[in-house]
Amino acid sequence: MQLAAHPHQPDYSPRQNAVLDSALRLLVDGGEKALTTAGVARAANCSKESLYKWFGDRDGLLSAMIGYQASKVRTFDDNAEALTAVTLREHLVLFARDLLEVLAGDVSLALNRLAIGQASREGSKLGSMLQERGRRQVGKRAGALLEAGRNAGLLAFDDRDEAYDTLYGLIVSDLHLRMLLGEDSGRMAKDFGRRAERAVSAFLRLYGRENGSVQPKGGRKT
Amino acid sequence: MQLAAHPHQPDYSPRQNAVLDSALRLLVDGGEKALTTAGVARAANCSKESLYKWFGDRDGLLSAMIGYQASKVRTFDDNAEALTAVTLREHLVLFARDLLEVLAGDVSLALNRLAIGQASREGSKLGSMLQERGRRQVGKRAGALLEAGRNAGLLAFDDRDEAYDTLYGLIVSDLHLRMLLGEDSGRMAKDFGRRAERAVSAFLRLYGRENGSVQPKGGRKT
DNA sequence: GGCGAACCGTACCGTACGGTACTGTGAATG
DNA sequence: CATTCACAGTACCGTACGGTACGGTTCGCC
């Protein structure tokens, strides 16, 4: 497991991190509407003036919340040495389950809703921030995994991003959006295991070279 | 092309539909923040009092907007008679392109953002409304297509919903969410054709019986 | 013409929020 | 002890929004 450093982002003091925690709690519980500056100040036992001194304005607070949360959700690089068909499959399934659980987390859902709500307003960088921090991070893990699989002769693809896009779609489909729209995420969380298995099986049938099933002769994709 | 009737929803007068059109325009242009009752009234040249008389309150207006837009986006049942491997593929690609274009439409994006923003607040039925109206509708078309493909001996699957979920994931992946987060949808719209082809090819490799490529012996899926 | 319904435009009200300023306080610093 | 700093708590201000009320106008109908 390795920590991904993000030095281009201001780090906050423990006290400020605690405030950000309170703000996240507030956002998760009550949605964006409940996330008022006075509410954050009250919940965190700090003054509004301090909020504005630390984070500039409301948008700064939101950005800080996203950055803070992203700094907490760290993915490990499962070190993919000695990959076999079996261990590759295991790693992929594990990745899929982790991905689904991250996406279904209430903090993740709340932040995505927040960023989407701000996305209409031009110049709001929350969307790209979430995109950068979230997907890029988890995508790096998947990319390394895919690359390792290819190097081990277990996977066949030309474009790594394309392969990852396919994997992502197979795993998530429209589940993320449905959860964002309010569908009960807890109810469907128990199916994550089965869903991960299904998606990885399909992915290996598409991109796998020896998966115990049919193996396409040339690994052609088109 | 057949129209899908939705009699369980109150129909509005032409004047009211025009007002809803203005409201949608306003929402698309300025986001949810711009969608104020006074703004809608001004844009539609009507009075706030009429708005409240017609739609009850703001939430009623939002619901009416979703219902109205859904009533405009109608999908056709491509009548799938005499399906061959080639025509099935064509129909699937057409479906995929239509789906991507619907999802990338600015009205669709704006309404999804709106519903997601309201999703945190309990009791808001906008999310389920969009879900019902949007996905169910387009899913019916896909379901019929898949069923026809199976009846013609071209597709092999047990669970139709599962197959559709896979197809949807292959087509859309996280593209919808990225667009909702503000990524420029126009820039990526030109790749919809290639993306549709790719997704359908992958889908046919997973579920197809004779697609001109490798055909798995038993059509086994797990 | 008289009448009522529908409706536009606007003024109005209560409230809530973002942001600022001020006061008090406790702890560090010299 | 005096000064300074960081901060909490709170009062305050301007504004914007949801919702309501009211006067004036058009249109159909008797």
Side-chain angles (χ1 to χ4, degrees):
Chain A
M1 163 176 342
Q2 82 173 18
L3 303 181
H6 281 294
H8 58 287
Q9 185 78 2
D11 253 346
Y12 296 107
S13 76
R15 170 72 175 128
Q16 291 162 8
N17 284 340
V19 170
L20 293 177
D21 258 325
S22 298
L24 283 175
R25 274 278 308 251
L26 212 58
L27 175 67
V28 168
D29 290 346
E32 181 185 359
K33 198 192 97 180
L35 195 71
T36 71
T37 55
V40 172
R42 194 177 338 112
N45 285 327
C46 76
S47 71
K48 284 173 66 175
E49 195 172 17
S50 301
L51 286 184
Y52 283 97
K53 175 183 291 185
W54 294 333
F55 307 108
D57 59 357
R58 190 172 187 267
D59 282 0
L61 176 63
L62 303 185
S63 303
M65 288 168 64
I66 291 183
Y68 173 61
Q69 173 66 14
S71 78
K72 284 204 303 185
V73 177
R74 297 224 163 91
T75 79
F76 25 152
D77 280 340
D78 8 34
N79 51 351
E81 329 167 1
L83 264 191
T84 68
V86 175
T87 59
L88 172 64
R89 195 179 195 288
E90 283 173 359
H91 277 103
L92 283 174
V93 170
L94 191 64
F95 167 77
R97 290 202 49 167
D98 284 358
L99 175 60
L100 287 172
E101 265 152 29
V102 166
L103 293 183
D106 41 7
V107 184
S108 158
L109 288 177
L111 280 180
N112 272 280
R113 292 200 186 102
L114 181 66
I116 288 174
Q118 298 276 1
S120 53
R121 223 173 85 72
E122 196 68 26
S124 131
K125 299 177 62 176
L126 297 188
S128 44
M129 270 196 63
L130 253 187
Q131 201 63 17
E132 205 73 20
R133 301 285 197 142
R135 166 149 207 214
R136 199 75 50 135
Q137 191 68 13
V138 68
K140 204 154 43 177
R141 175 182 170 193
L145 198 52
L146 295 183
E147 209 77 64
R150 179 163 65 175
N151 289 340
L154 299 171
L155 295 176
F157 55 85
D158 297 329
D159 187 338
R160 197 193 57 186
D161 291 340
E162 202 172 288
Y164 174 50
D165 189 71
T166 301
L167 176 61
Y168 190 100
L170 286 171
I171 295 173
V172 179
S173 191
D174 71 336
L175 200 96
H176 198 190
L177 189 69
R178 293 219 309 269
M179 293 189 295
L180 286 173
L181 279 170
E183 207 156 316
D184 183 18
S185 57
R187 200 195 41 177
M188 51 177 84
K190 64 181 178 68
D191 281 335
F192 283 173
R194 209 171 61 84
R195 190 180 185 89
E197 302 269 359
R198 245 186 52 210
V200 170
S201 293
F203 179 76
L204 288 179
R205 255 181 298 149
L206 286 174
Y207 289 98
R209 271 211 158 126
E210 38 182 352
N211 45 15
S213 170
V214 192
Q215 44 181 347
K217 301 177 188 130
R220 54 196 290 276
K221 319 201 322 292
T222 327
Chain B
M1 165 175 341
Q2 84 173 15
L3 305 179
H6 283 290
H8 58 288
Q9 186 78 1
D11 254 346
Y12 296 106
S13 76
R15 171 70 177 129
Q16 291 161 8
N17 283 341
V19 171
L20 292 178
D21 257 324
S22 299
L24 284 174
R25 274 282 306 254
L26 213 57
L27 176 65
V28 168
D29 290 346
E32 181 186 0
K33 197 191 97 180
L35 195 71
T36 72
T37 55
V40 172
R42 196 178 337 111
N45 286 328
C46 76
S47 72
K48 285 174 66 176
E49 195 173 18
S50 301
L51 286 184
Y52 283 96
K53 174 183 291 184
W54 293 333
F55 307 109
D57 59 356
R58 191 173 187 268
D59 282 0
L61 176 64
L62 302 185
S63 302
M65 288 168 63
I66 291 184
Y68 173 61
Q69 172 66 12
S71 79
K72 284 204 302 184
V73 177
R74 299 222 162 92
T75 80
F76 25 156
D77 280 340
D78 9 33
N79 51 350
E81 329 167 1
L83 264 191
T84 69
V86 175
T87 59
L88 172 63
R89 194 178 196 288
E90 284 173 358
H91 277 105
L92 284 174
V93 169
L94 191 65
F95 166 78
R97 290 202 50 165
D98 284 358
L99 175 60
L100 287 172
E101 264 153 28
V102 167
L103 293 183
D106 43 6
V107 184
S108 159
L109 288 178
L111 281 181
N112 272 280
R113 293 200 186 101
L114 181 66
I116 287 174
Q118 297 277 0
S120 53
R121 225 173 85 71
E122 197 65 28
S124 131
K125 298 178 62 177
L126 296 187
S128 45
M129 269 195 64
L130 253 188
Q131 202 63 17
E132 204 73 21
R133 301 285 196 144
R135 165 143 210 222
R136 199 74 51 137
Q137 191 68 12
V138 68
K140 204 154 45 178
R141 175 182 170 193
L145 199 52
L146 294 183
E147 209 76 65
R150 179 163 65 175
N151 289 341
L154 299 170
L155 296 177
F157 55 85
D158 297 329
D159 187 338
R160 197 193 56 187
D161 291 339
E162 203 171 290
Y164 174 49
D165 189 70
T166 301
L167 176 61
Y168 190 100
L170 286 171
I171 296 173
V172 179
S173 190
D174 70 337
L175 199 96
H176 197 190
L177 189 69
R178 294 218 309 269
M179 293 189 295
L180 286 173
L181 279 170
E183 208 155 317
D184 183 18
S185 58
R187 201 195 39 177
M188 52 177 83
K190 64 181 178 70
D191 281 335
F192 283 173
R194 208 171 62 86
R195 190 180 184 90
E197 302 269 358
R198 245 186 52 209
V200 170
S201 293
F203 179 76
L204 288 178
R205 256 181 298 150
L206 286 175
Y207 289 98
R209 273 212 157 125
E210 38 182 353
N211 46 16
S213 168
V214 192
Q215 43 181 346
K217 299 171 189 142
R220 52 196 291 277
K221 317 201 323 290
T222 327

